[in-house]
């Protein structure tokens, strides 16, 4: 982020940029495996309810804080209230943790592009293929390194704009492809319809506290909340742009793509495995195991497979670039080093942490902390611990120190704020209590003190 504060050209520019950062592996890779694992329709329902109440309020708050102060997270909290200055640096730890493991998944995506390109569709459709692959010591590391190096090169040479242009073309193609795959699986595969019902119809018997815990973590992750990113975006936003409307649009876009990704994967899981619990609950590998099976069964599947994973690669790359940008700008501010030096530093840290994540599946698969291997642990610390803490602090700060009225005024600079009552009730009462409960239960669960 340059020292001179540029601003988005208009409303469309702002919404597209924010949506571009929000849409990524979170939507396509993370959402479907959580929805499959934590109850299908009931997860979807919990996610949508949380998103329109709580995600909405938090996103409005972050954008308004940024626009009001014209500063990114670190400066913004400090400028508004010195006692809350620590929230900025705390929020900036999140992207540092996410970027490395995000790149490991980005590496998996690249491996799958190469697999389809080499005509290995049939092999990749084998059930054991994915686990055998991530269990290897050498290759996953190479792909991960390649992904993070590409990201670094883009940020180092400052060619983000070019990549963003490419990804804007890719996004509609990705959406069309997902739609096509959904129609193909639902119409041609036996058993897929059962999966559609599992995914869409809420079934209370599948509900557990974990459903809500997972839905909330996913909400933060997918909408890039609780890590200061939206504050930065807000600081680039002009006063006449409606924060409320933009937030709705970003949410609808982000949730829409996640919904479609789930519809692409979950019915197929039912078609291939009958939807038994072990297939639904397999976690991070779900997309990588399921999609090749679909592509293998489809006419022209190899070409579709390559195209699909290339699109996902671009969605992942733009998110990784934006994550890295964030970390680099934080380092530049804090360490007073040049941009390129910071790029290399971030690369070094990411290589180290990402290496742990890849080895956690192979050489060090025995090493478990809190019952988790490294990738899950990083995911847990960022999504289930740090983000809820930051969201909680933001709510307490806005609700009781800054006062919701201050941000409502900011939002109303561009017209009436229709959701202002919802906003202030959420921020002051509902969200803090709720986040605290979720935070406690997920941490106590991780330490095996309670079972949820
Ligand atoms: N929202 C992104 C996704 O769905 C991941 C992400 C979280 C992100 N925080 C971010 C991307 C900050 C860019 C910047 O994949």
């Amino acid at each position: 982020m340059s020292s001179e504060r540029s601003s988005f050209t208009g409303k469309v520019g702002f919404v597209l940029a924010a949506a571009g950062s929000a849409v990524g592996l979170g939507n396509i890779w993370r959402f479907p495996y959580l929805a499959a694992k934590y109850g299908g329709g009931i997860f979807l329902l919990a996610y949508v309810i949380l998103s329109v109440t709580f995600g909405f309020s938090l996103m409005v708050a972050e954008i308004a804080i940024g626009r009001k102060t014209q500063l990114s997270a670190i400066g913004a909290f400090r400028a508004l209230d010195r006692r809350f200055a620590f929230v900025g640096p705390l929020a900036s730890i999140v992207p540092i943790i996410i970027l490395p493991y995000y790149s490991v998944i980005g590496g998996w995506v690249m491996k799958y592009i190469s697999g389809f390109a080499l005509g290995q569709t049939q092999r990749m459709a084998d059930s054991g293929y994915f686990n055998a692959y991530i269990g290897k010591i050498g290759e996953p590391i190479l792909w991960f390194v390649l992904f993070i190096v590409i990201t670094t090169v883009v940020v180092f040479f400052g060619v983000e704009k070019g990549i963003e242009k490419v990804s804007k073309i890719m996004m509609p193609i990705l959406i069309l492809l997902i739609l096509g795959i959904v129609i193909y699986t639902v119409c041609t595969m036996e058993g897929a319809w059962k999966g559609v019902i599992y995914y869409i119809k809420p079934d209370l018997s599948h509900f557990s506290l974990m459903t809500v815990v997972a839905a909330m973590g996913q909400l933060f992750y997918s909408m890039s909340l609780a890590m200061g990113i939206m504050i930065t975006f807000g600081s680039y936003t002009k006063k006449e742009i409606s924060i409320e409307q933009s937030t709705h649009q970003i949410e609808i876009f982000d949730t829409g793509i996640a919904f479609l990704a789930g519809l692409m994967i979950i019915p197929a899981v039912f078609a291939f495995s009958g939807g038994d619990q072990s297939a639904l609950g397999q976690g991070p590998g779900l997309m990588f195991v399921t999609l090749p099976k679909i592509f293998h069964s489809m006419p022209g599947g190899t070409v579709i497979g390559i195209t699909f994973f290339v699109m996902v690669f671009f969605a992942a790359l733009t998110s990784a670039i934006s994550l890295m940008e964030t970390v680099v700008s934080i380092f530049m501010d804090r360490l007073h080093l040049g941009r390129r030096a910071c790029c290399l530093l971030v690369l070094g840290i990411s290589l180290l942490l990402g290496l742990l994540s890849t080895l956690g599946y192979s050489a060090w698969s025995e090493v478990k902390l809190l019952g988790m291997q490294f990738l899950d642990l990083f995911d847990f610390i960022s999504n289930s611990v740090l983000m809820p803490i930051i969201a909680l602090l933001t709510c307490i700060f806005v609700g009781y120190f800054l006062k919701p009225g201050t941000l409502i005024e900011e939002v109303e600079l561009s017209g009436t704020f229709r959701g202002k009552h919802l906003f202030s009730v959420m921020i002051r009462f509902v969200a803090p209590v709720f986040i605290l409960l979720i935070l406690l239960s997920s941490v106590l669960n991780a330490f095996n003190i309670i079972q949820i």
Side-chain angles (χ1 to χ4, degrees):
M1 271 135 245
S2 63
S3 49
E4 201 175 283
R5 197 145 292 265
S6 54
S7 65
F8 294 116
T9 30
K11 176 147 173 293
V12 179
F14 168 59
V15 172
L16 278 182
S21 144
V23 174
L25 292 172
N27 307 63
I28 298 155
W29 156 75
R30 202 171 186 276
F31 184 87
Y33 88 70
L34 291 175
K37 186 166 178 179
Y38 295 113
I42 195 76
F43 177 90
L44 190 62
L45 182 68
Y47 186 83
V48 171
I49 292 176
L50 285 176
S51 142
V52 295
T53 50
F54 183 92
F56 167 76
S57 308
L58 202 60
M59 189 176 295
V60 167
E62 292 197 13
I63 298 175
I65 289 178
R67 195 172 71 177
K68 186 173 171 54
T69 57
Q70 296 284 301
L71 293 167
S72 57
I74 291 188
F77 281 100
R78 198 191 305 132
L80 291 171
D81 191 331
R82 288 214 151 260
R83 286 167 297 177
F84 280 83
F86 70 97
V87 181
L90 192 63
S92 56
I93 300 174
V94 178
I96 300 177
I97 299 180
I98 293 185
L99 177 63
Y101 85 81
Y102 202 86
S103 305
V104 172
I105 320 279
W108 294 352
V109 171
M110 292 180 80
K111 160 73 186 173
Y112 272 59
I113 298 176
S114 105
F116 282 110
L118 293 172
Q120 300 170 343
T121 312
Q122 187 170 0
R123 260 178 62 201
M124 292 161 71
D126 262 1
S127 292
Y129 180 84
F130 177 75
N131 281 328
Y133 168 68
I134 58 171
K136 288 197 220 165
I137 292 175
E139 212 189 331
I141 297 178
L142 285 180
W143 288 111
F144 148 67
V145 172
L146 193 58
F147 187 90
I148 186 78
V149 166
I150 293 176
T151 309
T152 312
V153 166
V154 173
V155 178
F156 190 91
F157 290 107
V159 290
E160 297 86 338
K161 286 279 167 296
I163 299 290
E164 273 160 24
K165 273 202 196 113
V166 179
S167 82
K168 258 180 213 151
I169 309 167
M170 300 284 180
M171 196 70 86
I173 304 178
L174 177 64
I175 297 172
L176 285 179
L177 261 179
I178 296 180
L179 274 174
I181 300 168
V182 170
I183 295 170
Y184 174 81
T185 45
V186 175
C187 295
T188 68
M189 288 186 185
E190 207 169 319
W193 194 246
K194 269 200 195 137
V196 175
I197 295 182
Y198 173 77
Y199 180 49
I200 291 188
K201 197 168 152 220
D203 180 346
L204 262 181
S205 70
H206 289 135
F207 182 82
S208 73
L209 201 52
M210 260 327 271
T211 309
V212 191
V213 173
M216 200 173 76
Q218 173 62 13
L219 186 70
F220 294 143
Y221 188 94
S222 186
M223 302 207 181
S224 314
L225 292 172
M227 52 192 290
I229 274 277
M230 286 297 159
I231 298 184
T232 306
F233 271 112
S235 73
Y236 296 138
T237 311
K238 293 209 174 110
K239 298 283 182 193
E240 59 270 18
I241 285 170
S242 163
I243 295 182
E244 184 175 28
Q245 242 183 37
S246 311
T247 300
H248 283 313
Q249 285 164 352
I250 299 165
E251 264 183 336
I252 291 171
F253 196 68
D254 190 70
T255 308
I257 295 188
F259 172 76
L260 286 178
L263 202 54
M264 164 177 78
I265 289 172
I266 295 176
V269 176
F270 274 75
F272 292 120
S273 70
D276 62 76
Q277 209 47 50
S278 67
L280 286 170
Q282 60 184 286
L286 189 68
M287 162 180 134
F288 295 91
V289 172
T290 311
L291 284 174
K293 287 190 207 278
I294 304 180
F295 296 142
H296 181 53
S297 78
M298 214 180 214
T302 298
V303 175
I304 297 176
I306 299 177
T307 323
F308 179 84
F309 277 99
V310 169
M311 305 299 140
V312 176
F313 167 74
F314 274 97
L317 185 64
T318 44
S319 289
I321 290 169
S322 149
L323 280 162
M324 186 155 196
E325 278 278 357
T326 316
V327 183
V328 167
S329 65
I330 294 164
F331 280 22
M332 282 166 63
D333 285 353
R334 300 251 114 188
L335 306 177
H336 306 290
L337 285 173
R339 182 185 164 79
R340 295 198 163 172
C342 290
C343 279
L344 296 178
L345 191 60
V346 176
L347 174 66
I349 296 175
S350 302
L351 284 174
L352 207 70
L353 294 182
L355 196 63
L356 285 181
S357 291
T358 57
L359 290 177
Y361 281 111
S362 52
W364 295 343
S365 59
E366 305 297 308
V367 183
K368 294 255 156 78
L369 292 165
L370 299 177
M372 292 175 244
Q373 32 80 346
F374 290 110
L375 195 143
D376 288 346
L377 184 74
F378 291 137
D379 193 77
F380 172 78
I381 295 175
S382 52
N383 294 286
S384 306
V385 182
L386 283 174
M387 286 166 155
I389 292 178
I390 293 153
L392 180 62
L393 289 167
T394 309
C395 290
I396 293 175
F397 171 60
V398 174
Y400 298 96
F401 292 83
L402 185 66
K403 302 285 185 277
T406 318
L407 293 186
I408 291 174
E409 260 169 40
E410 178 65 39
V411 176
E412 287 192 328
L413 289 178
S414 62
T416 43
F417 181 6
R418 286 193 293 161
K420 69 177 173 199
H421 296 298
L422 171 76
F423 172 76
S424 94
V425 171
M426 272 290 145
I427 292 283
R428 275 187 300 173
F429 308 114
V430 185
V433 174
F434 199 73
I435 301 174
L436 194 62
L437 286 176
I438 299 278
L439 178 66
L440 284 178
S441 47
S442 64
V443 171
L444 293 178
N445 183 57
F447 283 96
N448 263 327
I449 297 171
I450 57 167
Q451 216 73 52
I452 59 175

